[in-house]
Amino acid sequence: MNTWMIRSSRGKLADDFESNGVVAIGYGISENLSRFHDLENLREYLKSLDIAANPAGQISRFVCEIQPGDNIITYDSAARQYLLGIAGEYFYNEGIFENLRQFRKVQWIHRIDRDNLSKRAKGCLGSLLTVFSLAPEVKEEIHRLADGAPPSK
């Protein structure tokens, strides 16, 4: 099982993600990508739309690589907390958030104070990428904190 960081709008949508039981990305793709079950086919399609390699990789990971049961993390900048949840299926929706159409259902289960994370974990989670898999040691730290372990010093 992977743990994926999904960032959107600099952490300003975390409460909306939590209350709607979702996580979402945009990149200006205004069509349903659920027909793509193969990473290479999706990347080729995105390339045909003249979407640059980096956003195409982010979209591909979101649609094809994240699996139901994987963990999802997103940042709540107002609360300075990370939300941890369990990923569900990908879906397309035009009516939840403006400019975000690509969704995954998420069962949000924990909030983790950013101040309780190690410097290394903060650095990893501060990546500018929209969608990325956490390094194993950061994943382990997140799960220890979610399970109630004291912060590492």
Side-chain angles (χ1 to χ4, degrees):
M1 168 178 42
N2 285 316
T3 299
W4 299 89
M5 175 67 174
I6 312 292
R7 49 176 84 259
S8 190
S9 298
R10 298 186 173 118
K12 295 176 184 167
L13 292 175
D15 283 338
D16 292 327
F17 286 171
E18 188 175 34
S19 64
N20 284 284
V22 298
V23 70
I25 62 171
Y27 286 112
I29 304 294
S30 58
E31 63 184 276
N32 188 337
L33 301 175
S34 63
R35 69 182 183 275
F36 295 99
H37 301 287
D38 176 87
L39 193 57
E40 284 308 311
N41 287 340
L42 176 56
R43 285 188 178 172
E44 284 300 315
Y45 175 72
L46 294 171
K47 187 176 176 183
S48 76
L49 298 177
D50 288 328
I51 294 178
N54 185 27
Q58 306 296 299
I59 297 163
S60 297
R61 278 188 276 291
F62 189 83
V63 173
C64 295
E65 288 186 45
I66 296 173
Q67 297 297 309
D70 282 353
N71 287 126
I72 300 291
I73 297 243
T74 197
Y75 187 59
D76 181 341
S77 57
R80 294 181 45 85
Q81 294 178 324
Y82 288 93
L83 280 73
L84 174 65
I86 301 168
E89 297 292 333
Y90 161 84
F91 69 99
Y92 175 84
N93 188 300
E94 295 181 3
I96 300 176
F97 301 115
E98 186 177 343
N99 299 323
L100 300 177
R101 305 285 187 260
Q102 313 305 320
F103 287 84
R104 280 204 170 263
K105 293 181 182 191
V106 179
Q107 178 187 358
W108 297 108
I109 55 175
H110 292 287
R111 281 184 167 260
I112 298 159
D113 289 332
R114 184 179 187 279
D115 293 339
N116 290 339
L117 294 168
S118 68
K119 191 173 188 179
R120 178 167 182 354
K122 288 176 190 173
C124 174
L125 292 167
S127 170
L128 297 178
L129 295 173
T130 301
V131 180
F132 62 92
S133 183
L134 299 186
E137 58 275 10
V138 175
K139 172 185 166 180
E140 289 171 17
E141 181 176 342
I142 293 285
H143 288 277
R144 277 196 317 272
L145 290 170
D147 290 340
S152 302
K153 295 295 174 190

